[in-house]
Amino acid sequence: MRPVLVGLVLMASASLAAAAETLESVAPRDGVSQRFLLLKPEGPPLASLILFTGGDGNLKLSDDGRLGSGAGNFLVRTRARWVEQGFTVAVVDAPSDHAAEGMAGDFRGSPEHAKDMAAVIDFLRRQADVPVWLVGTSRGTTSAASVAIKQRDKVDGLVLTSSIDHGRGNLADFNLQRVTQPVLLVQHQRDECQESRLDNLQPVVDKLTATQAKELIVMDGGNNRGDPCQPWAWHGYNGIEDQVVSRASAWIKGHLAR
């Protein structure tokens, strides 16, 4: 079934530096729509990035493209900063058949989720024939890693921030030996979230044996407020957003397929 595309032009808020956004949708499975926000740089993009928010992944995007949830998430609130680095950015919502509960349970690791993201990747490649990287934070790293494994021919690289390394969705439980793309891991040294502690991450790094390149960048500093697993704690790089985006973007640019 050929994906159906719809677009609605929006203007982002002042916090997005007046960048234009569009609300896009593809139809990857019968009766299912997959919505995402699309932002483009002024010039030709260096690469396209798909950003996976954490938690249940449910942004509750309205018909006019407004965020009903998740606006504070690290990747969601920095989406315009990635565009400023020269990337096209797609921020994906939960698909329509998971609109109520979001990407809870094991959906992030499912074949259906990988199929949905394949349709988004195909959309992005029609926009620009450039590499497509997956960028996840917290539970979004489960999505990014799983899709990279299942859609190896479509994904050019991975950035995993505040990776899930304990409990449900633990990346070490995935067949990471199948990941051949370059992988950057970013972790806050003082992340206190039980599911994404730096001292649990080594098994994830060790299983990435087939990557073209891999690196772990450990960040420090910033502010720590509230629940340790929420975006305004060290887990969400509160106060050091620019540093994280700049360092990760430089790494991506240094490892783009030629």
Side-chain angles (χ1 to χ4, degrees):
M1 175 175 149
R2 185 176 180 180
V4 177
L5 312 178
V6 298
L8 174 66
V9 178
L10 312 170
M11 288 305 297
S13 65
S15 64
L16 295 183
E21 287 188 339
T22 61
L23 173 67
E24 304 290 346
S25 179
V26 295
R29 295 177 280 128
D30 287 343
V32 175
S33 61
Q34 172 66 63
R35 284 181 167 183
F36 55 98
L37 294 176
L38 182 71
L39 298 86
K40 296 181 180 180
E42 291 185 2
L46 300 173
S48 295
L49 310 181
I50 298 179
L51 307 187
F52 296 94
T53 184
D56 62 10
N58 200 349
L59 300 178
K60 300 180 182 178
L61 290 172
S62 67
D63 290 342
D64 61 357
R66 297 182 186 276
L67 290 160
S69 182
N73 175 266
F74 164 62
L75 290 179
V76 179
R77 72 177 187 264
T78 62
R79 60 194 186 276
R81 288 179 168 94
W82 299 93
V83 178
E84 291 166 0
Q85 292 286 338
F87 303 123
T88 292
V89 168
V91 188
V92 294
D93 200 355
S96 61
D97 60 340
H98 287 261
E101 75 278 18
M103 293 186 277
D106 296 325
F107 180 75
R108 289 187 185 273
S110 70
E112 291 79 12
H113 185 39
K115 186 174 183 179
D116 295 348
M117 293 307 103
V120 176
I121 293 170
D122 290 343
F123 175 97
L124 293 172
R125 290 202 188 279
R126 286 192 292 271
Q127 301 291 304
D129 187 17
V130 294
V132 177
W133 282 54
L134 309 183
V135 184
T137 196
S138 193
R139 293 214 173 271
T141 61
T142 303
S143 287
S146 177
V147 174
I149 291 168
K150 293 179 174 64
Q151 301 288 352
R152 282 187 296 174
D153 293 340
K154 291 181 176 291
V155 176
D156 295 287
L158 281 173
V159 177
L160 307 173
T161 73
S162 302
S163 294
I164 297 299
D165 54 22
H166 176 77
R168 189 169 201 154
N170 185 353
L171 299 189
D173 294 336
F174 287 15
N175 190 5
L176 296 179
Q177 296 92 333
R178 296 189 63 203
V179 176
T180 58
Q181 306 93 329
V183 179
L184 173 66
L185 300 102
V186 180
Q187 208 80 2
H188 197 290
Q189 181 171 325
R190 290 184 277 178
D191 190 341
E192 296 176 338
C193 182
Q194 183 178 358
E195 285 76 26
S196 62
R197 294 176 59 88
L198 178 61
D199 54 9
N200 290 331
L201 190 60
Q202 194 58 47
V204 176
V205 177
D206 290 345
K207 289 190 73 172
L208 291 165
T209 57
T211 60
Q212 299 171 32
K214 66 179 178 181
E215 185 173 347
L216 169 61
I217 294 177
V218 179
M219 304 297 299
D220 201 0
N223 305 308
N224 187 46
R225 291 195 287 112
D227 188 318
C229 296
Q230 293 302 311
W232 304 114
W234 286 316
H235 181 75
Y237 309 100
N238 181 12
I240 58 170
E241 293 91 346
D242 285 340
Q243 296 175 47
V244 176
V245 172
S246 295
R247 292 190 66 178
S249 296
W251 201 90
I252 294 171
K253 293 172 187 178
H255 295 83
L256 290 176
R258 307 202 185 278

